[in-house]
Amino acid sequence: MSISSQRSLGIQKNKLLRYKLIKDLYQKHKTEDIPTTVVWRKYIYPVYPISRTTLYEILCTPITNELKKIEELSQKMAS
């Protein structure tokens, strides 16, 4: 595999790891009586300056499955 495809896998992996941190922070503060926008404004935006739209995208992303796919691809590339 080429270096550019390895680099793009690394970029994707780092993005997903960042998404995981954001999702964990969201789940730490989210309760049923606190709206998502409040969690975003008080806890997520000061640490990770992302838009609400990006937060919703992160919450809908199957992070664990995507990380597994990347790990499998990187193992195939190494062998």
Side-chain angles (χ1 to χ4, degrees):
M1 272 291 163
S2 68
I3 293 175
S4 64
S5 60
Q6 288 176 340
R7 183 174 293 138
S8 64
L9 272 182
I11 290 169
Q12 182 71 8
K13 182 179 178 182
N14 286 336
K15 181 178 93 169
L16 289 168
L17 291 173
R18 189 170 50 253
Y19 277 16
K20 185 175 183 335
L21 292 172
I22 293 168
K23 198 169 189 176
D24 291 344
L25 184 60
Y26 171 82
Q27 290 172 343
K28 178 181 174 186
H29 296 288
K30 177 69 172 127
T31 60
E32 67 180 51
D33 60 332
I34 302 175
T36 298
T37 54
V38 173
V39 174
W40 167 76
R41 187 177 65 243
K42 287 178 131 180
Y43 304 107
I44 295 173
Y45 188 79
V47 180
Y48 301 99
I50 59 172
S51 68
R52 281 184 325 174
T53 307
T54 303
L55 175 62
Y56 292 128
E57 179 185 322
I58 290 168
L59 295 176
C60 293
T61 302
I63 297 168
T64 309
N65 292 342
E66 295 293 322
L67 282 171
K68 284 179 186 175
K69 288 179 189 176
I70 289 174
E71 190 63 35
E72 289 171 4
L73 282 173
S74 61
Q75 285 178 358
K76 285 181 184 178
M77 290 168 54
S79 52

